[in-house]
Every structure is written in C-alpha cells, then in structure tokens.
Amino acid sequence: MYKDFLKLLDLSPEEIGELIDLAAELKRKKKAGEPHRYLEGKNIALIFEKTSTRTRCSFEVAASDLGMNSTYLAGGSQFGLKESIADSARVLCRMYDAIEYRGYGQSVVEELAEYSSVPVINGLTDEFHPTQILADFLTIRERFGRLKGIKLVYMGDARFNTGNSLMVGCAKMGLDFTACSPVGYFPDPELTGRCSKIAENTGASISFLSDPKEAVKDADVIYTDIWVSMGEPEEIWDERIKLMLPYQVNTELMDAAGEDCVFMHCLPSYHDKNTQIGRKVCEKYGLDALEVTNEVFESDRSIVFDEAENRMHTIKAVILSLLRGGKING
Ligand code: CP
Ligand code: NVA
C-alpha cells in the first residue's frame, strides 16, 4: 500500500483499478444522497502555487462530503519563501491528516512526502497530473465499459504533465496510447522507456506519430490539452502556435477517427475567444480557437464535463483510500 499519491508510476494496476472502483461507488453514493462522512474531524491542507478551478474545488467538495475540514494555502503562506519544503512538511503534518500540493517541480511534492508523516497528494506538477488521469479513466470506463484495449490518442504537447501521466496510466491499465506531436514534444525518453517495459506486462501499446490523420485512425478517444502550460513564458505562444496548429482537434480530425470516438480535455480550454488569454492569442494569429475548435468542444462527442465532474469523485477516492485504506463500510 502506498503512503502518498505522487505519480501513477508508484501504484500497481490493481491499486489504480481499486481507486477507480471506489470513485464509482462514491459517485453512486453522492448521486443517491447517501452520506459518506467517513473522515469526520480530519483535516487536509491544500497548497496551490498555481491557479486551479477543478482540482481545488474537487478537493474542497470531496473533503467536505467526507466530513473533513480543508485549508487553502495559496500566496500569503511562508511555503517556499521564508520556509523550506522540509520544514513546511514537518509543520503541516503536525496539524493535518493529509496535504495536497499543486506547483512546479515533481521534486517538491516528492520532498514534501519525504518529510511528512501524513499522506501527500500531487494536485499537478510540471511533470505529472495523476489525479486527472483517474478521472479520465473513470470517464472512459463509464463510456466504453472497459479500459483495456481502448485506443487513446493524445494530440499536441505530449511532454508535459497531462501527456506524461496519460502515457503512464495507459501503460499501467492496458490501453493503446498514441502521442501525436511535433518532433521534440513527445514524452521524455527515460519515462517512455519505463512505460514501454510496464506495457509488456499489461498488454498496452505506446506509439509516437507526427501525422494527425494517421494517428487517429480507429481511435476511441482523442484527447488534448492547452499548448502553453502554467508556468511557461507567455512569449512562447509565437513558436507554439506555428508548431501546434496542425494538431488542433477539429471536426475533420474527429471524422477521421472511429465512429464512436469521443473528445476529452483536462480543461481549461481555449475552444473559443471567451477567455482573456484565448481571445488575445486568437486575435493575434487570426484564429477562432486554439487546441480544439468550438464545434468539437460543444459536440455530442465531447465528454469533457463528465470528465470534469469525475475529478471530484476520483479525488475523494484518493483521500479516502490514503486515510482509511479505502474502507467504506463499518
Ligand atoms: N484539469 C485541471 O487540473 O483543472 P484546474 O487547473 O482547473 O484544476
Ligand atoms: N498542462 C496544463 C494542465 C492544466 C490542468 C498545465 O499544466 O497548465
């Protein structure tokens, strides 16, 4: 049993499967209005060095549903400024039963876990976004009734948190993962090597292509993420737009995939000009949308809001599993 939830590489396929099962049961309970305050009186600290809607709200609602209290720490705390990670970890674990961290380096969340006696959960780092993948897989399972053998094509910048974690998740759970990116935007070779080894035992496959039409052939899921991630400099849009535009998910690309293919996105998304950044970038380059067109985003094939909802149920499963061994009876 794992003490922390830092990256999917640390969990066995069985453990990941159990978390998804638990999330499905917690979702059923929530919909049925069945109370599930299994962690009454416990406390969780939520450290956010980057912005968030889904992850923060998921942690806060999940904690509240479980009977816990949460403290949101973003700006205004001493974390990393006047106090080292190791000291903050040793302070917070004297007061809290769990700690969530969203920020930059994976090394920060790993160090927090090393110095904390209570579980630490990765709410996104530059390298990994493991709670996102649990929600994605619950959503895929709800749609297709299985994970094994599903062909998931990730379009765009595959060398950041979401692309990396999807590759690990697919390798662990036996999906066929294709990253479709410009050269230089594929996941790190060392991580790819580890995933290929895992895939040998799970029946998964991992491939890298740069031709979108070829990549999406027979795809069950086309997945994308924004082209410039949190923490990357704004000036990078110039080169990213040029490189990534051929990887935009549009109706033509969806039509080139399997008939039942769905569209997924971790969100937030620049599918129209209704955001400050999206509008600025679209206007500068004469575009209506960036990584996905509005037509695809708003279509029946888009399951992005099921996916967003499932962030909460899966994060609840992670908290419960870490603090109570996943036990939901007695
Ligand atoms: N998908 C995701 O992590 O969303 P937020 O950045 O809003 O938390
Ligand atoms: N790759 C994106 C994911 C957002 C949920 C980012 O890091 O900004």
mmCIF file of all heavy atoms in Angstrom, residues 19-29 138 141-142 313 317:
data_model
loop_
_atom_site.group_PDB
_atom_site.id
_atom_site.type_symbol
_atom_site.label_atom_id
_atom_site.label_comp_id
_atom_site.label_asym_id
_atom_site.label_seq_id
_atom_site.Cartn_x
_atom_site.Cartn_y
_atom_site.Cartn_z
ATOM 1 N N LEU A 19 -8.908 2.251 -7.039
ATOM 2 C CA LEU A 19 -9.271 3.668 -6.853
ATOM 3 C C LEU A 19 -10.421 4.056 -7.782
ATOM 4 O O LEU A 19 -11.333 4.795 -7.383
ATOM 5 C CB LEU A 19 -8.063 4.576 -7.121
ATOM 6 C CG LEU A 19 -7.020 4.646 -6.009
ATOM 7 C CD1 LEU A 19 -5.779 5.401 -6.475
ATOM 8 C CD2 LEU A 19 -7.599 5.328 -4.763
ATOM 9 N N ILE A 20 -10.388 3.542 -9.006
ATOM 10 C CA ILE A 20 -11.461 3.869 -9.961
ATOM 11 C C ILE A 20 -12.778 3.228 -9.495
ATOM 12 O O ILE A 20 -13.839 3.862 -9.522
ATOM 13 C CB ILE A 20 -11.068 3.447 -11.399
ATOM 14 C CG1 ILE A 20 -9.824 4.225 -11.847
ATOM 15 C CG2 ILE A 20 -12.217 3.689 -12.379
ATOM 16 C CD1 ILE A 20 -9.173 3.733 -13.130
ATOM 17 N N ASP A 21 -12.696 1.991 -9.013
ATOM 18 C CA ASP A 21 -13.905 1.319 -8.486
ATOM 19 C C ASP A 21 -14.467 2.101 -7.301
ATOM 20 O O ASP A 21 -15.677 2.301 -7.186
ATOM 21 C CB ASP A 21 -13.575 -0.096 -7.989
ATOM 22 C CG ASP A 21 -13.266 -1.050 -9.134
ATOM 23 O OD1 ASP A 21 -13.573 -0.713 -10.286
ATOM 24 O OD2 ASP A 21 -12.692 -2.123 -8.852
ATOM 25 N N LEU A 22 -13.568 2.506 -6.411
ATOM 26 C CA LEU A 22 -14.008 3.248 -5.221
ATOM 27 C C LEU A 22 -14.661 4.569 -5.626
ATOM 28 O O LEU A 22 -15.705 4.957 -5.077
ATOM 29 C CB LEU A 22 -12.802 3.493 -4.293
ATOM 30 C CG LEU A 22 -13.047 4.272 -3.005
ATOM 31 C CD1 LEU A 22 -14.081 3.578 -2.115
ATOM 32 C CD2 LEU A 22 -11.735 4.453 -2.220
ATOM 33 N N ALA A 23 -14.067 5.243 -6.606
ATOM 34 C CA ALA A 23 -14.635 6.513 -7.074
ATOM 35 C C ALA A 23 -16.036 6.299 -7.645
ATOM 36 O O ALA A 23 -16.952 7.098 -7.403
ATOM 37 C CB ALA A 23 -13.719 7.130 -8.135
ATOM 38 N N ALA A 24 -16.212 5.201 -8.375
ATOM 39 C CA ALA A 24 -17.529 4.914 -8.965
ATOM 40 C C ALA A 24 -18.561 4.702 -7.849
ATOM 41 O O ALA A 24 -19.707 5.171 -7.936
ATOM 42 C CB ALA A 24 -17.444 3.686 -9.863
ATOM 43 N N GLU A 25 -18.152 4.003 -6.789
ATOM 44 C CA GLU A 25 -19.070 3.759 -5.669
ATOM 45 C C GLU A 25 -19.369 5.070 -4.921
ATOM 46 O O GLU A 25 -20.512 5.334 -4.535
ATOM 47 C CB GLU A 25 -18.464 2.692 -4.741
ATOM 48 C CG GLU A 25 -19.206 2.441 -3.436
ATOM 49 C CD GLU A 25 -20.670 2.006 -3.610
ATOM 50 O OE1 GLU A 25 -21.112 1.732 -4.747
ATOM 51 O OE2 GLU A 25 -21.395 1.977 -2.583
ATOM 52 N N LEU A 26 -18.359 5.901 -4.748
ATOM 53 C CA LEU A 26 -18.579 7.185 -4.072
ATOM 54 C C LEU A 26 -19.465 8.102 -4.919
ATOM 55 O O LEU A 26 -20.276 8.871 -4.386
ATOM 56 C CB LEU A 26 -17.233 7.864 -3.773
ATOM 57 C CG LEU A 26 -16.395 7.177 -2.686
ATOM 58 C CD1 LEU A 26 -14.964 7.694 -2.692
ATOM 59 C CD2 LEU A 26 -17.033 7.380 -1.302
ATOM 60 N N LYS A 27 -19.340 7.993 -6.231
ATOM 61 C CA LYS A 27 -20.190 8.783 -7.128
ATOM 62 C C LYS A 27 -21.641 8.315 -6.985
ATOM 63 O O LYS A 27 -22.561 9.136 -6.910
ATOM 64 C CB LYS A 27 -19.698 8.600 -8.576
ATOM 65 C CG LYS A 27 -20.468 9.403 -9.603
ATOM 66 C CD LYS A 27 -19.795 9.339 -10.971
ATOM 67 C CE LYS A 27 -20.534 10.167 -12.013
ATOM 68 N NZ LYS A 27 -19.845 10.206 -13.306
ATOM 69 N N ARG A 28 -21.814 6.992 -6.930
ATOM 70 C CA ARG A 28 -23.171 6.451 -6.758
ATOM 71 C C ARG A 28 -23.781 6.969 -5.456
ATOM 72 O O ARG A 28 -24.928 7.404 -5.405
ATOM 73 C CB ARG A 28 -23.119 4.912 -6.758
ATOM 74 C CG ARG A 28 -24.479 4.234 -6.812
ATOM 75 C CD ARG A 28 -24.457 2.813 -6.318
ATOM 76 N NE ARG A 28 -24.062 2.640 -4.930
ATOM 77 C CZ ARG A 28 -24.793 2.954 -3.867
ATOM 78 N NH1 ARG A 28 -26.001 3.457 -4.017
ATOM 79 N NH2 ARG A 28 -24.326 2.768 -2.636
ATOM 80 N N LYS A 29 -22.973 6.923 -4.388
ATOM 81 C CA LYS A 29 -23.471 7.377 -3.083
ATOM 82 C C LYS A 29 -23.868 8.847 -3.134
ATOM 83 O O LYS A 29 -24.898 9.253 -2.613
ATOM 84 C CB LYS A 29 -22.392 7.192 -1.998
ATOM 85 C CG LYS A 29 -22.288 5.775 -1.467
ATOM 86 C CD LYS A 29 -21.285 5.724 -0.332
ATOM 87 C CE LYS A 29 -21.059 4.300 0.163
ATOM 88 N NZ LYS A 29 -22.189 3.761 0.928
ATOM 89 N N LEU A 138 -12.026 6.901 -15.233
ATOM 90 C CA LEU A 138 -13.410 6.636 -14.785
ATOM 91 C C LEU A 138 -14.372 7.030 -15.910
ATOM 92 O O LEU A 138 -15.325 6.300 -16.219
ATOM 93 C CB LEU A 138 -13.715 7.416 -13.493
ATOM 94 C CG LEU A 138 -15.162 7.351 -12.997
ATOM 95 C CD1 LEU A 138 -15.597 5.913 -12.693
ATOM 96 C CD2 LEU A 138 -15.359 8.224 -11.733
ATOM 97 N N ARG A 141 -14.222 4.530 -18.752
ATOM 98 C CA ARG A 141 -14.888 3.272 -18.353
ATOM 99 C C ARG A 141 -16.401 3.427 -18.382
ATOM 100 O O ARG A 141 -17.121 2.518 -18.801
ATOM 101 C CB ARG A 141 -14.409 2.861 -16.960
ATOM 102 C CG ARG A 141 -14.334 1.369 -16.796
ATOM 103 C CD ARG A 141 -13.826 0.986 -15.435
ATOM 104 N NE ARG A 141 -14.783 1.339 -14.387
ATOM 105 C CZ ARG A 141 -14.638 0.989 -13.124
ATOM 106 N NH1 ARG A 141 -13.575 0.290 -12.747
ATOM 107 N NH2 ARG A 141 -15.534 1.338 -12.224
ATOM 108 N N GLU A 142 -16.882 4.589 -17.939
ATOM 109 C CA GLU A 142 -18.333 4.838 -17.983
ATOM 110 C C GLU A 142 -18.837 4.805 -19.429
ATOM 111 O O GLU A 142 -19.929 4.325 -19.693
ATOM 112 C CB GLU A 142 -18.657 6.209 -17.374
ATOM 113 C CG GLU A 142 -18.524 6.252 -15.865
ATOM 114 C CD GLU A 142 -18.638 7.660 -15.281
ATOM 115 O OE1 GLU A 142 -18.560 8.660 -16.037
ATOM 116 O OE2 GLU A 142 -18.790 7.760 -14.058
ATOM 117 N N HIS A 313 -15.073 12.965 -7.782
ATOM 118 C CA HIS A 313 -15.298 11.612 -7.259
ATOM 119 C C HIS A 313 -13.977 10.848 -7.114
ATOM 120 O O HIS A 313 -13.799 10.080 -6.163
ATOM 121 C CB HIS A 313 -16.250 10.849 -8.184
ATOM 122 C CG HIS A 313 -17.551 11.573 -8.417
ATOM 123 N ND1 HIS A 313 -18.441 11.856 -7.393
ATOM 124 C CD2 HIS A 313 -18.103 12.089 -9.549
ATOM 125 C CE1 HIS A 313 -19.489 12.508 -7.903
ATOM 126 N NE2 HIS A 313 -19.303 12.669 -9.192
ATOM 127 N N ALA A 317 -11.916 9.535 -3.752
ATOM 128 C CA ALA A 317 -11.441 8.150 -3.588
ATOM 129 C C ALA A 317 -9.976 8.127 -3.139
ATOM 130 O O ALA A 317 -9.592 7.314 -2.290
ATOM 131 C CB ALA A 317 -11.605 7.377 -4.892
#
